[in-house]
Amino acid sequence: MSNPGRDWEDGTPERLYVITGGRSGADTPAPLDLVTLIIAKSGPKPGMQPEHTAIMRLCRSPLSVAEVSAYLGLPVSVVTVLLGDLITDGHVLSRPPVAPAKLPDLALIEAVIDGLRKL
């Protein structure tokens, strides 16, 4: 039984169900994880779902899935469904985060330090 005092915008399961159209997972070819970067290819289009519009505005510069979720105040599972829609429709691009720089071999560092000490 629903509570008449609760606001529709409070993140209730019913609202989240409506936002995702009842889907529980994204239909994207590549899985999205928390650190996948999302970039909008253009601005929002007229007639887009409000959450899609919000994502398009947020992702003018690259944001991770976790950041999009936090800014929208929606669970990651809901955000991945919405992002999947936008990726499928060609509105946003996803890419893995920039890999951390590979550190030089420890033996090389020790050899350089040893060479500097001999100077």
Side-chain angles (χ1 to χ4, degrees), residues 5-101:
R6 292 183 80 174
D7 184 13
W8 172 252
E9 297 295 320
D10 68 354
T12 61
E14 295 89 0
R15 176 176 174 262
L16 299 177
Y17 181 88
V18 169
I19 289 172
T20 62
R23 295 169 293 146
S24 61
D27 298 328
T28 57
L32 298 172
D33 59 23
L34 293 174
V35 294
T36 300
L37 295 176
I38 307 297
I39 304 168
K41 291 172 71 175
S42 63
K45 305 289 184 225
M48 279 186 149
Q49 182 176 330
E51 293 79 14
H52 286 150
T53 299
I55 291 171
M56 297 289 291
R57 287 188 178 132
L58 281 172
C59 295
R60 289 181 180 146
S61 58
L63 286 179
S64 71
V65 171
E67 290 172 309
V68 173
S69 175
Y71 284 130
L72 293 179
L74 293 172
V76 171
S77 58
V78 171
V79 170
T80 56
V81 171
L82 296 172
L83 289 171
D85 296 341
L86 292 170
I87 291 168
T88 300
D89 293 341
H91 296 299
V92 299
L93 298 172
S94 68
R95 66 178 171 99
V98 176

